[in-house]
Amino acid sequence: MSRVRSIVVWTAVAIAGAVAWGVLALSRGESVSAVWMVAAALGSYAIAYRFYARFIARTVLGVDDRRATPAERLDNGVDFQPTDRRVLFGHHFAAIAGAGPLVGPVLAAQMGYLPGTIWIIVGVILAGAVQDMVVLFFSLRRDGKSLGQMVREEIGPIGGAAALVAVFAIMIILLAVLALVVVNALAASPWGAFSIAMTIPIALFMGFYLRVLRPGRVVETSVIGVALLLLAIVGGSWVQDSALAGVFTLSPQTLVVCLVVYGFFASVLPVWMLLAPRDYLSTFMKVGTIGLLAVGVVVAAPVLRNEAVTEFALTGDGPVFAGALFPFVFITIACGALSGFHALISSGTTPKMIQKESQIRLIGYGGMLTESFVAIMALIAASVLEPGLYYAMNAPAGLLGSTAESASAAVARLGFTISPEDLTAAAAAVEESTIIARTGGAPTLAVGISEIMAAVFGGAAFKAFWYHFAIMFEALFILTTVDAGTRVGRFMLQDTLGNVWKPIGRVSWKPGLWATSAVVVLAWGYFLWAGVNDPLGGINQLFPLFGIANQLLAAVALTLATTLLIKSGKLRWAWVTGLPLAWDVAVTLTASWQKVFDADPKIGFFAQRELYAEALAAGRVLAPARSLDQMRTVVTNSTVDGVLAALFAVLVLVVIADAAVVCVRALRSREPLPLKEAPYVESALVAPSGLFATPGSRSS
Amino acid sequence: MKALRFLRWYVRELTGTAAYERYADAHAAHGGTPMSRREYERRRSDLREAAPESRCC
């Protein structure tokens, strides 16, 4: 592109983005189209990718395409394998994006659409995408080592051990909260429960088909699988009206048992049988649905009904989650803006498959921008709903009661209106018995998606189909994460325990495999069980913990990145990861502090514990608890949650303190401290760095 | 047409459907006898057993 043309194009992009931001930020009381949100996001992403990501890759990290990557040097055709950048982008995106960016923004819509939009876009540009790309780069320079290994080798054994425990604990909370989202979406919904249950036989069939009948024909198998899946959704409607409805009308408690048992089997069965085919299904559905939704948003151009900034952002006593805008919006929206979990993937399989160092920009930064865009669409889907409906779905059951009348009255007390008739009609439109207190974000998102999609494809008659389609695809993502997460957790446990007692570390030793799998499923199963039985609402209590955990993991990753920049003599560029780190630490530690020490029992876990324990001692029952047993549940849960919040924070502080020592040593030392980088080897591979090959790279 | 060709290539690569052909071609070029597709795919999926991939949220 000629220089003049480039300047013209980028100026136009900047102006379009700025206008969109202006409309979003300045509109009050008038109707704003969701298209402005899409425009603001895409304009900002384009500029960040073109300028900031390039600056980081070239100037800060100094990517060098003459240097052979681990994929080239260690190519074994299995895990190390140079892979086309566009294909790897697909793999990486499928691994990082799941239900997280769909759920967090829906909950954060309680604060209005503006805070969430700003955090998702600014956060991803300056923090989330930077973390993903930088960790990918450092792992790439270290033969694809994992985050934990890098912390141990580059910071020290204490930091390494703390990071390892933090990763494991965070994974458990993450799985529990995601599973809770599924339970809340499927409870008392025979249609949803049936279609999700059907994914198990479908996956088993696909696994068998791929293994025995047609080895390696993944596309063909996935097409069959997706067709069966759509049939299962349509079949759910029939099951709901048939005699089978009772069998699939499950209580949250039953669903927990089902999920725990399922998680155990998914972890011990061979990968080909359940996990691999599920993964294919989930990826196809993911890409397809996100594409459809993007088309839907642009074509339907729905109007945002949510306020730009709600009162709850200022008072901090919103019903969906407690706490003020700072820090809790930044905790609630983790995936889509800054997700520490991605550091595990950026230091997992992806760095072992990259052809060229410069491709980290497309894969690391670009992949995360794409996830952020998914989060923006989720925020749109939640913000096109009537606020009254939104709160009737997302406030805890304890507040709303179980009837349309009680919910309508409770919503009115919150300052919004929805009539009991409208609530019943909204449930009937998606053919669910009730949509009151369907917390967890998934049902709300599904209603939003059904509204957008029905406007484009099929009309009102298709609302119920689109609703269950959305529930199905969210549940599918989450179950894939639960499968994979349980397996990864089990591996970590086996690996760690193997240092103490050899046999348990052996992947092929069945009793060890069963025992460690059981430990992992029971660990997340415990929190899941506590969540569904919590009178205060599991999502309300646990989601902040999940956000804090995820962002604390980001703090570990950004600490490592900043330490490595300083160790490699790039102090002047250390702000690139240092500033997001400072922000992230400020947010997460404030949130942890409030969750542990705040005197308001709605926010502080121990204040909550004290309140309920005192009442319990006096034999009183405090609403929303309805019995002394429920009072005991609250006391136990708030104790466990408070201890956990404190533990996470302490672990991360240990890593940061250990890293600070290393940084000071690096700054004082005359000689640069040794890095554990793999040696330089000249590359013989030729591959383009960007999405499109330039004429230069084509000819070479 | 070009876009469709790209899409086909992309989907086959992304799902690993094309992996066997690449492997067999590489083997043939070196003059060896490649594994059968069944054997190759079986080995490939069993290798995944040893290195589980994380899936994020």
Side-chain angles (χ1 to χ4, degrees):
Chain A
M1 208 172 357
S2 78
R3 197 173 161 76
V4 178
R5 216 172 101 202
S6 166
I7 292 174
V8 170
V9 167
W10 286 104
T11 311
V13 170
I15 293 173
V19 168
W21 273 115
V23 171
L24 285 180
L26 301 176
S27 303
R28 290 290 181 281
E30 48 227 279
S31 57
V32 178
S33 166
V35 173
W36 292 113
M37 228 147 111
V38 173
L42 293 182
S44 310
Y45 297 157
I47 289 175
Y49 183 79
R50 167 65 179 73
F51 297 98
Y52 192 48
R54 189 162 90 152
F55 156 76
I56 297 175
R58 289 192 181 177
T59 312
V60 178
L61 301 175
V63 295
D64 180 1
D65 280 345
R66 284 163 306 177
R67 190 184 183 117
T69 59
E72 182 181 351
R73 279 187 291 113
L74 309 172
D75 185 358
N76 59 7
V78 187
D79 45 352
F80 289 93
Q81 196 169 29
T83 305
D84 182 276
R85 68 206 181 284
R86 295 159 298 187
V87 173
L88 190 54
F89 174 89
H91 282 300
H92 183 76
F93 176 69
I96 62 171
L102 298 173
V103 171
V106 172
L107 303 182
Q110 148 171 286
M111 303 284 192
Y113 63 79
L114 196 55
T117 308
I118 296 176
W119 166 234
I120 291 171
I121 297 175
V122 177
V124 77
I125 288 172
L126 297 179
V130 176
Q131 173 207 259
D132 288 19
M133 173 166 84
V134 169
V135 169
L136 181 56
F137 174 78
F138 286 127
S139 176
L140 191 61
R141 282 274 170 104
R142 285 159 184 78
D143 292 344
K145 287 219 171 81
S146 71
L147 180 71
Q149 284 171 316
M150 287 194 284
V151 172
R152 193 171 59 227
E153 290 180 1
E154 301 282 0
I155 294 179
I158 300 173
L164 195 69
V165 177
V167 168
F168 185 74
I170 286 164
M171 186 114 87
I172 296 296
I173 281 293
L174 179 125
L175 294 177
V177 171
L178 288 179
L180 186 56
V181 171
V182 172
V183 168
N184 285 356
L186 299 185
S189 166
W191 185 338
F194 170 79
S195 18
I196 292 301
M198 280 303 110
T199 62
I200 298 171
I202 292 173
L204 289 172
F205 166 74
M206 288 170 67
F208 175 76
Y209 189 91
L210 267 176
R211 182 83 170 183
V212 180
L213 298 178
R214 303 265 296 156
R217 270 66 164 205
V218 180
V219 180
E220 161 189 326
T221 315
S222 303
V223 169
I224 299 176
V226 169
L228 290 172
L229 210 60
L230 292 176
L231 264 182
I233 302 178
V234 176
S237 161
W238 173 80
V239 165
Q240 179 162 258
D241 300 324
S242 76
L244 278 171
V247 181
F248 289 99
T249 307
L250 304 173
S251 71
Q253 286 75 8
T254 317
L255 281 165
V256 172
V257 175
C258 295
L259 276 182
V260 166
V261 171
Y262 166 77
F264 177 78
F265 280 106
S267 168
V268 298
L269 284 179
V271 169
W272 64 266
M273 215 181 259
L274 194 59
L275 193 108
R278 256 203 120 88
D279 215 27
Y280 292 130
L281 263 190
S282 151
T283 307
F284 265 85
M285 291 287 283
K286 191 179 294 183
V287 175
T289 314
I290 288 168
L292 269 181
L293 191 59
V295 172
V297 167
V298 173
V299 173
V303 168
L304 303 174
R305 301 231 172 79
N306 195 356
E307 293 165 41
V309 183
T310 63
E311 207 186 285
F312 301 130
L314 310 169
T315 57
D317 58 358
V320 183
F321 58 91
L325 180 86
F326 182 89
F328 287 102
V329 158
F330 311 103
I331 291 300
T332 309
I333 303 180
C335 305
L338 169 63
S339 170
F341 221 83
H342 294 185
L344 302 184
I345 291 153
S346 285
S347 62
T349 33
T350 309
K352 297 177 182 142
M353 296 165 82
I354 288 195
Q355 291 171 323
K356 285 287 161 198
E357 287 194 348
S358 59
Q359 293 171 351
I360 58 164
R361 181 172 156 220
L362 172 68
I363 294 161
Y365 204 92
M368 182 59 191
L369 288 182
T370 319
E371 182 183 88
S372 173
F373 188 59
V374 176
I376 286 290
M377 284 196 290
L379 188 57
I380 291 176
S383 295
V384 300
L385 296 182
E386 277 302 337
L389 179 61
Y390 173 83
Y391 290 105
M393 293 187 74
N394 287 290
L399 191 89
L400 292 167
S402 54
T403 65
E405 285 73 24
S406 67
S408 169
V411 169
R413 279 196 298 280
L414 292 170
F416 299 90
T417 40
I418 185 156
S419 67
E421 295 74 37
D422 285 348
L423 264 177
T424 319
V430 295
E431 294 182 30
E432 283 287 293
S433 56
T434 176
I435 50 171
I436 295 163
R438 298 303 288 260
T439 57
T444 310
L445 180 72
V447 170
I449 288 181
S450 75
E451 202 132 303
I452 295 170
M453 299 301 272
V456 183
F457 310 95
F462 268 70
K463 256 193 171 173
F465 174 82
W466 285 119
Y467 174 86
H468 289 96
F469 180 85
I471 290 284
M472 150 77 98
F473 102 102
E474 282 181 88
L476 193 63
F477 285 7
I478 291 179
L479 291 182
T480 312
T481 306
V482 168
D483 291 358
T486 303
R487 229 182 192 21
V488 171
R490 184 255 282 175
F491 257 76
M492 287 171 62
L493 200 59
Q494 280 186 300
D495 197 39
T496 313
L497 295 180
N499 293 328
V500 186
W501 190 50
K502 279 265 179 295
I504 205 133
R506 264 185 260 132
V507 181
S508 53
W509 190 56
K510 293 282 189 260
L513 184 94
W514 293 327
T516 45
S517 296
V519 169
V520 175
V521 291
L522 289 178
W524 61 255
Y526 167 78
F527 287 101
L528 179 57
W529 182 258
V532 301
N533 289 310
D534 198 319
L536 302 177
I539 285 288
N540 188 313
Q541 295 285 91
L542 286 175
F543 205 83
L545 213 52
F546 159 70
I548 291 174
N550 199 351
Q551 305 265 48
L552 282 173
L553 198 53
V556 173
L558 288 168
T559 301
L560 172 74
T562 311
T563 310
L564 284 175
L565 283 177
I566 293 176
K567 270 175 94 172
S568 46
K570 291 178 178 163
L571 179 64
R572 59 187 294 227
W573 299 128
W575 59 266
V576 169
T577 53
L579 280 183
L581 172 63
W583 166 258
D584 183 41
V585 168
V587 166
T588 44
L589 291 188
T590 311
S592 305
W593 181 268
Q594 292 186 4
K595 279 300 187 197
V596 175
F597 295 110
D598 202 279
D600 180 353
K602 276 196 180 138
I603 299 174
F605 282 125
F606 288 112
Q608 188 178 70
R609 183 205 134 84
E610 209 167 312
L611 179 75
Y612 282 82
E614 269 173 26
L616 186 63
R620 278 184 302 124
V621 176
L622 286 184
R626 275 194 234 103
S627 64
L628 287 179
D629 263 345
Q630 287 201 335
M631 293 291 291
R632 270 179 223 113
T633 308
V634 173
V635 172
T636 316
N637 288 355
S638 46
T639 315
V640 173
D641 295 349
V643 169
L644 213 55
L647 174 76
F648 286 158
V650 168
L651 284 172
V652 173
L653 282 174
V654 169
V655 177
I656 294 176
D658 205 2
V661 173
V662 175
C663 289
V664 170
R665 217 186 311 138
L667 292 177
R668 284 202 182 146
S669 148
R670 277 158 205 266
E671 299 280 300
L673 294 188
L675 288 170
K676 297 279 174 356
E677 261 188 16
Y680 179 94
V681 174
E682 182 89 24
S683 170
L685 261 180
V686 179
S689 63
L691 186 58
F692 303 103
T694 56
S697 64
R698 260 201 206 111
S699 63
S700 59
Chain B
M1 200 56 221
K2 213 174 155 194
L4 276 181
R5 240 198 338 260
F6 172 78
L7 191 71
R8 179 170 181 272
W9 169 85
Y10 191 72
V11 172
R12 283 169 50 85
E13 285 290 332
L14 194 66
T15 53
T17 309
Y20 177 72
E21 283 157 35
R22 211 161 347 102
Y23 155 83
D25 288 350
H27 247 264
H30 289 94
T33 359
M35 285 182 258
S36 73
R37 177 144 202 183
R38 186 173 299 269
E39 203 179 335
Y40 174 82
E41 298 291 352
R42 193 157 285 206
R43 188 167 299 190
R44 207 160 68 97
S45 70
D46 290 347
L47 281 167
R48 277 187 74 173
E49 206 82 43
E53 282 173 51
S54 219
R55 279 283 181 264
C56 185
C57 23

